């Protein structure tokens, strides 16, 4: 089953062209003291594996479940020490952008799991993988009875670092926090995903507005590069899928709903659902399905608000379900200059 999922990362799926090797496990499933690298991933630890931005000739397309869904276009500076990176280290441009999933934890990762604070690493072994970073961290926190993620001095302890990525061949799963500044209006560009640009999480930071996004993680609206036109683009999100759930827009040129997103993946609804234990209770979870509904479930059917609203943003309130701003509040405002 796991080999079938990894194969999805470099197969031709629904018009998506992505002929790359899955190198996502460096420092986790392979690397010095763990295991040899997969063919095509180099010796590891050199950061030399080139990011390969996929193309989608007939959207919507499935995004790689493990491997590149896009590439960053700006550099960043790591804020805190995490695994192989120290605070102040540079994260170069053209770093990998991955989807939300981890590849699993086994005895090969005992030292890493122990460093998280787990006295018995085996309690979080997961040979299947396919849990997003958020639910994986919540499961580890519960099973190991630790705060996770957390700070210890200047070190960030988590599956990924505070910027949103990890390993020497750096790849992002979420956040991009060190690639843009939270200021001004629309967040600046951090990367490209297929033919569309990826931005930080804000539709308008000054007004504290977050974007309403479709199941792929994108929407139509003005951007710093296109301030007077409605252009399809992606935003980072604080909840799964974090980067993208698929490559949009829809087959009709509009937003992608959860049903259309899930139709792109054999992994969605394939019967491998699991009960994931967390402190908040058990969560029924569909492994390797990157399409999440309005309640944040990859099995639920509550359609995303973006599909039924003419608004493109909603007011930020921590922990609150999105509710759209009324249309008059969406008049264009001057956009900041893009990050150089």
């Amino acid at each position: 089953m796991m080999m079938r999922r990894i194969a999805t990362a470099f197969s031709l799926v629904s018009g998506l062209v992505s002929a790359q090797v899955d190198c996502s496990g460096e420092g986790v499933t392979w690397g010095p003291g763990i295991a040899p690298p997969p063919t095509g991933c180099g010796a590891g630890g050199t950061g030399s594996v080139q990011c390969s931005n996929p193309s989608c000739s007939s959207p919507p397309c499935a995004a790689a479940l493990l491997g590149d869904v896009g590439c960053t276009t700006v550099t960043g500076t790591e804020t805190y020490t995490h695994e192989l990176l120290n605070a102040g280290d540079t994260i170069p441009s053209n770093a990998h952008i991955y989807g939300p999933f981890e590849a699993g934890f086994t005895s090969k990762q005992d030292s890493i799991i122990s460093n998280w604070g787990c006295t018995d690493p085996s309690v979080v072994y997961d040979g299947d993988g396919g849990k997003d970073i958020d639910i994986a961290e919540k499961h580890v926190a519960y099973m190991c009875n630790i705060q996770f993620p957390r700070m210890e001095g200047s070190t960030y302890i988590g599956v990924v670092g505070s910027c949103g990525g990890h390993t020497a061949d750096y790849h992002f799963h979420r956040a991009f926090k060190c690639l843009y500044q939270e200021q001004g209006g629309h967040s600046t560009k951090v990367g490209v995903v297929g033919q569309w640009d990826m931005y930080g999480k804000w539709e308008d930071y000054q007004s504290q507005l977050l974007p309403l996004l479709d199941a792929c993680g994108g929407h139509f609206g003005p951007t710093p590069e296109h301030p007077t036109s409605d252009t399809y683009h992606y935003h980072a999100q604080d909840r799964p899928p974090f980067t993208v759930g698929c490559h949009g827009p829809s087959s009709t040129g509009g937003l992608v709903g959860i049903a259309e997103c899930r139709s792109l993946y054999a992994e969605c609804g394939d019967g491998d659902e699991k009960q994931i234990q967390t402190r908040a209770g058990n969560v029924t979870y569909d492994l390797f399905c990157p399409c999440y509904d309005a309640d944040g479930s990859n099995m639920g059917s509550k359609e995303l608000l973006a599909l039924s609203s003419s608004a493109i943003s909603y007011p930020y309130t921590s922990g609150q379900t999105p509710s759209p701003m009324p249309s008059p509040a969406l008049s264009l405002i001057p956009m900041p200059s893009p990050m150089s």
Side-chain angles (χ1 to χ4, degrees):
M1 180 178 292
M2 187 61 188
M3 292 303 296
R4 175 173 63 86
R5 299 189 191 289
I6 292 177
T8 304
F10 55 91
S11 60
L12 300 179
V13 180
S14 302
L16 175 65
V17 180
S18 180
Q20 60 190 333
V21 177
D22 170 35
C23 299
S24 62
E26 184 181 0
V28 180
T29 59
W30 64 273
I34 302 174
T39 301
C41 292
T46 64
S48 61
V49 180
Q50 186 77 10
C51 182
S52 177
N53 184 34
S55 63
C56 173
S57 60
S58 181
C61 301
L65 301 176
L66 297 170
D68 293 334
V69 300
C71 307
T72 64
T73 54
V74 293
T75 60
T77 302
E78 186 63 72
T79 307
Y80 303 107
T81 296
H82 177 262
E83 292 182 354
L84 303 175
L85 292 181
N86 295 316
D89 283 352
T90 297
I91 299 172
S93 177
N94 203 44
H96 309 276
I97 300 175
Y98 284 10
F101 300 120
E102 48 81 16
F105 312 121
T106 69
S107 59
K108 293 179 180 179
Q109 290 80 51
D110 276 357
S111 62
I112 294 173
I113 299 169
S114 294
N115 287 337
W116 293 343
C118 298
T119 56
D120 179 6
S122 69
V123 300
V124 296
Y125 284 175
D126 171 19
D128 291 328
K131 295 195 291 288
D132 66 67
I133 297 298
D134 181 65
I135 195 71
E137 289 184 332
K138 289 177 178 176
H139 180 63
V140 170
Y142 173 78
M143 297 300 296
C144 297
N145 194 28
I146 58 175
Q147 182 180 345
F148 193 69
R150 66 186 185 278
M151 289 294 304
E152 291 185 0
S154 61
T155 299
Y156 186 92
I157 310 294
V159 174
V160 296
S162 62
C163 192
H166 59 174
T167 80
D169 185 30
Y170 198 91
H171 58 272
F172 288 91
H173 286 282
R174 64 183 181 192
F176 309 104
K177 284 186 177 179
C178 58
L179 299 190
Y180 71 101
Q181 296 183 340
E182 294 190 308
Q183 64 182 23
H186 195 286
S187 290
T188 50
K189 178 179 173 179
V190 298
V192 290
V193 174
Q195 70 187 92
W196 307 110
D197 292 334
M198 167 70 77
Y199 293 84
K201 77 176 191 178
W202 294 100
E203 186 64 31
D204 185 342
Y205 177 74
Q206 185 173 356
S207 299
Q208 290 288 280
L209 297 178
L210 291 173
L212 285 170
L213 303 174
D214 68 6
C216 287
H219 73 167
F220 292 90
T223 69
E225 287 74 22
H226 304 281
T228 60
S229 61
D230 288 340
T231 303
Y232 191 77
H233 62 281
Y234 303 101
H235 281 269
Q237 304 177 62
D238 288 336
R239 67 181 194 173
F242 304 121
T243 56
V244 295
C246 53
H247 293 272
S250 74
S251 57
T252 59
L255 299 180
V256 178
I258 54 174
E260 187 173 20
C261 179
R262 290 173 186 170
S263 72
L264 302 172
Y265 299 93
E267 289 77 7
C268 293
D270 62 349
D272 65 351
E273 298 84 1
K274 285 195 172 182
Q275 294 290 314
I276 311 298
Q277 293 176 293
T278 75
R279 288 195 175 110
N282 288 356
V283 177
T284 306
Y285 192 88
D286 192 355
L287 299 178
F288 282 107
C289 180
C291 309
Y292 297 80
D293 77 351
D295 290 329
S297 169
N298 70 351
M299 294 190 64
S301 58
K302 186 176 181 179
E303 189 56 88
L304 299 166
L305 188 56
L307 274 292
S308 60
S309 174
S310 61
I312 63 171
S313 64
Y314 66 98
Y316 168 74
T317 302
S318 180
Q320 186 179 38
T321 300
S323 58
M325 285 289 292
S327 296
L330 298 173
S331 57
L332 296 181
I333 61 173
M335 294 290 160
S337 300
M339 182 182 292
S340 57

